[in-house]
Amino acid sequence: MIAAALAAGTAPASPVALPHEEQVIAVPGSADFLVVDGESVWATNRGRVERWSRQGKLAELAMAHPCGAMAVSNGALWIADCNDGTLNRIDLQTAKLITAIPTGIANPKGELNVVAGAGSIWVASDGAGKITRVDPNDNRIIASIPVDAGTFFLSFGFGSLWAVSSDAQSLQQIDPSTNAVVKHVKLGKQPGFLAAGEGAVWVQEQGDGTLARVDPATGEVTGRAKVGADLRGGDIDVGRGAVWLRTTADQTFAMVDPHSMAITRLGKASGSGALRLAGGGLWTTAHDVHILSWWSLAPKAKE
């Protein structure tokens, strides 16, 4: 029996430090997906991928159509190109293309993930239902894994790859030792981006406006938080004792307590964008208003 209580509203208080928007950087174009690289962050943009820090832009590399959430691993940035259908490996130090691996890309519209885990790079590579596994030591494709059609969204954690199909409304657990799906979990309407950590696998049920908490050991949905009318165009990350949910409406992002499912809402609505937790705070993008923001978790200085 699923013990899934539906939580809603705003938490009156939180044991986690509340971030405050400390810096807003104007970014021409349409900065969107993010991945943290030390004290800097990489952002997809229209026709390019860029590296930013709080001091400004550090590097950029032209691409046909950089898309989806990226990964940093093995001294490289791994990023999908939705125009060329490739998984691109970019050197972190030089910001130069090392190789473009013809994996195919499952969602040419750009909503997907590249993730690192179990010594490999994983990308959703065919909308009919396939995930490609790449060995970063020699850039070879070492496995093609059949999954539900419409599987675009990936996360790695708890020793497994987790994959979401919006079409099938499913969360699939993939064992990296066998390259096979070992568990299916039924989800709500239009599930999308997910993150593994803080004791669970967390999935945006975008059509329902809910965040689902899934036990990685049993596959049981153990809780849901009602965040809004829907969660389209958002993003998710975990860490520092919370789940961080970038939203399009109502607020910039929400912080969800992983135990009580209580919601703390932060910032004003700023349209679609992404979010990534960094060492001392969070980065967010808002591509509709062309900004990259740094939210500090350090105590706010008294004025």
Side-chain angles (χ1 to χ4, degrees), residues 18 23 33 51 53 60 65 78 91 147 168 183 186 206-207 210 214 229 262 281 291 299:
L18 295 181
Q23 184 177 6
F33 292 100
R51 185 182 181 191
S53 74
E60 74 171 71
H65 182 189
W78 301 85
D91 185 274
V147 290
K183 189 176 290 153
K186 188 65 176 177
Q206 297 180 345
T210 51
V214 179
I291 60 171

Side-chain angles (χ1 to χ4, degrees), residues 10 12 24 30 37 66 71 101 122 144 169 176 189 193 216 219 237 272 285:
T10 301
V24 178
S30 186
D37 178 13
I101 305 165
W122 311 77
S144 294
Q169 294 181 233
K189 185 179 177 182
F193 289 106
D237 203 359
S272 184
T285 54

